[in-house]
Amino acid sequence: MILRKEYGFESAHFIYNHPGKCRNLHGHSYKLFVCIEGAVNPETGMIIDFDDLSKVVDARVISRLDHRFLNDLIPLSTAENISVWIWNELKPDLPGLVQVEVYETSDNCVIYRGE
């Protein structure tokens, strides 16, 4: 079974080698979906408690990206590279992690499933 939870963060960035307007400093209201796969624990009825998941995601990702300048952490801060960075931050604490989805806008998304 796969559990999916949505998060949001606001960040600014620029893509230094972009030939168009993304070369300029700008911001996005990002949406992040984190997907965890696992068996349902018969005692709890859950794969993972949503609150426990949120504690990890908030500490490892949201607190570090929300209202921040992404280029300070991810120099070439494309949606692709942001998704890989998020994966690398979460995977050690979430072994059941199977997918992250990063929406830069409502119709532009990157899905990353690890290496």
Side-chain angles (χ1 to χ4, degrees):
M1 185 173 292
I2 297 175
L3 172 148
R4 180 177 183 242
K5 181 150 175 56
E6 178 180 345
Y7 300 90
F9 60 95
E10 310 283 332
S11 297
H13 76 142
F14 65 86
I15 301 173
Y16 59 81
N17 63 356
H18 193 274
K21 62 185 180 179
C22 291
R23 173 184 214 81
N24 300 316
L25 180 62
H26 63 284
H28 295 284
S29 296
Y30 290 91
K31 287 217 180 271
L32 167 64
F33 292 89
V34 175
C35 300
I36 306 294
E37 186 170 26
V40 175
N41 180 322
E43 292 180 23
T44 65
M46 302 176 202
I47 297 169
I48 184 174
D49 187 295
F50 284 114
D51 288 338
D52 292 339
L53 175 59
S54 289
K55 286 176 187 171
V56 172
V57 174
D58 289 341
R60 304 283 297 166
V61 173
I62 303 302
S63 67
R64 297 175 66 199
L65 299 184
D66 190 39
H67 286 81
R68 304 296 174 117
F69 179 53
L70 293 180
N71 296 70
D72 286 342
L73 287 173
I74 309 160
L76 186 54
S77 55
T78 61
E80 293 85 348
N81 288 338
I82 295 167
S83 69
V84 171
W85 184 91
I86 290 171
W87 177 277
N88 291 335
E89 290 299 310
L90 294 178
K91 189 64 175 173
D93 292 329
L94 298 172
L97 184 67
V98 292
Q99 178 171 296
V100 295
E101 302 171 43
V102 176
Y103 282 80
E104 194 172 77
T105 64
S106 63
D107 57 357
N108 293 322
C109 171
V110 168
I111 297 172
Y112 185 67
R113 295 182 177 139
E115 302 276 336

